[in-house]
Amino acid sequence: MRRPLIVGNWKMNKTIQEAIQTINDLKTLVTDIANINNIDIVICPAYTALYAVKHAIAHSRLMLGAQNIFWQENGAFTGEISTSMIKDLGCSYVIVGHSERRQYFKETDSDINKKILVSLNKNITPILCIGESLQNRVDKLTFNIIKTQLEHALANVKSNQITSVIIAYEPIWAIGTGQTATPFQAQEVHLFIRKFCEDKYGYNIADKMRIIYGGSVNSENISDLMKETDIDGGLIGGASLQAKSFTQLIKNLK
Ligand code: PEP
């Protein structure tokens, strides 16, 4: 039985004060959730709020993640932040290869692989985002795209490291559009991802891996998605910004 994981990606939103307020509201609201001890919840604020959120989540069930890192440890890389730096800020997770970073900041599969390897070496859990565009899907290229992204991102990831990688299937056409993948569409890609991992690492390892879905997940569609065998949680953008909607979504996990 894989432990459900819900990750809130706040993207470029919230001042420090707003972030603290949302965490305080969330801490109060999540205490009402019956199965809270059986779910992992990670919040990924902007870099500027990480330090404040680290303190705000103390003594709660919430964990902290960053939205990106650079693979070098230190040096002349203006504007970048290393894994040691986010670790220092209390992060135990990091989102890697989000489609917005691939699209707007031209991150390549090779950049993403370096980020995965460096996070694993520093004991930070990478949340690897992969997914196809609408045109890829129309052209029936979804599985080819997913396979290529996995092959590159997971190159040189050893079998004793892979269960520490979270894979987030995020079809680009579903992110922030309100058009979520159907449970069937999501499940068939999740199964494909698990089979890819099985071929590379063996059944026992692949069976333990957590594969989460992202793309317009909300409190209304989460429970149908979670009924699918290979969907182990969600990467949530818009619906994680308000404590109330995020709590409702977590409550509706089944
Ligand atoms: C995301 O940020 O990864 C995401 C899935 O966003 P949204 O839930 O808003 O579609």
Side-chain angles (χ1 to χ4, degrees):
M1 185 63 184
R2 295 177 293 265
R3 206 175 147 80
L5 169 69
I6 294 291
V7 182
N9 175 14
W10 285 356
K11 310 194 186 192
M12 197 175 72
N13 291 295
K14 296 188 190 291
T15 61
I16 294 171
Q17 275 317 313
E18 288 165 350
I20 294 172
Q21 185 60 55
T22 308
I23 294 295
N24 288 342
D25 293 346
L26 207 50
K27 281 202 300 189
T28 315
L29 289 165
V30 294
T31 50
D32 287 345
I33 300 177
N35 59 346
I36 191 73
N37 291 335
N38 302 324
I39 303 167
D40 287 337
I41 305 169
V42 179
I43 306 292
C44 301
Y47 287 142
T48 47
L50 282 173
Y51 186 71
V53 171
K54 168 191 171 172
H55 289 286
I57 63 172
H59 313 298
S60 78
R61 295 215 40 89
L62 306 174
M63 294 181 282
L64 192 61
Q67 297 175 17
N68 182 33
I69 35 118
F70 189 52
W71 60 81
Q72 293 284 359
E73 178 61 14
N74 49 42
F77 303 104
T78 303
E80 294 297 329
I81 293 194
S82 73
T83 31
S84 301
M85 289 169 177
I86 62 159
K87 210 169 173 176
D88 206 23
L89 287 161
C91 293
S92 41
Y93 289 78
V94 62
I95 298 172
V96 175
H98 192 284
S99 64
E100 287 153 13
R101 296 217 52 89
R102 294 179 192 252
Q103 183 183 350
Y104 302 125
F105 304 99
K106 307 294 169 229
E107 275 191 16
T108 65
D109 283 326
S110 149
D111 297 335
I112 291 159
N113 176 241
K114 289 183 198 141
K115 293 181 183 199
I116 296 280
L117 294 174
V118 77
S119 350
L120 288 169
N121 287 338
K122 292 280 177 193
N123 290 323
I124 302 256
T125 302
I127 302 164
L128 164 65
C129 300
I130 53 174
E132 81 287 2
S133 67
L134 186 57
Q135 194 57 51
N136 295 151
R137 183 161 275 268
V138 169
D139 294 341
K140 304 209 179 318
L141 290 174
T142 300
F143 296 113
N144 300 46
I145 297 289
I146 296 293
K147 183 166 181 268
T148 305
Q149 289 176 339
L150 286 171
E151 276 168 353
H152 286 93
L154 299 180
N156 300 315
V157 174
K158 301 189 184 78
S159 49
N160 64 351
Q161 296 178 304
I162 188 66
T163 50
S164 303
V165 177
I166 308 290
I167 299 177
Y169 169 53
E170 296 213 301
I172 299 169
W173 48 271
I175 299 177
T177 58
Q179 191 195 343
T180 193
T182 64
F184 177 84
Q185 286 172 319
Q187 166 60 22
E188 67 173 359
V189 180
H190 281 232
L191 179 62
F192 180 85
I193 295 169
R194 204 176 298 286
K195 287 266 179 246
F196 174 95
C197 295
E198 184 179 328
D199 290 346
K200 191 168 157 90
Y201 300 103
Y203 174 83
N204 289 340
I205 288 178
D207 189 50
K208 287 197 188 86
M209 290 183 62
R210 291 194 287 182
I211 306 172
I212 63 177
Y213 168 79
S216 298
V217 179
N218 57 39
S219 58
E220 268 145 47
N221 55 32
I222 186 72
S223 81
D224 282 343
L225 287 160
M226 289 298 288
K227 279 180 196 143
E228 298 294 336
T229 323
D230 292 288
I231 302 182
D232 306 313
L235 177 50
I236 321 294
S240 71
L241 289 172
Q242 306 300 327
K244 240 180 160 174
S245 56
F246 195 46
T247 309
Q248 192 56 50
L249 186 154
I250 299 165
K251 272 189 185 159
N252 291 357
L253 274 180
K254 288 279 152 42

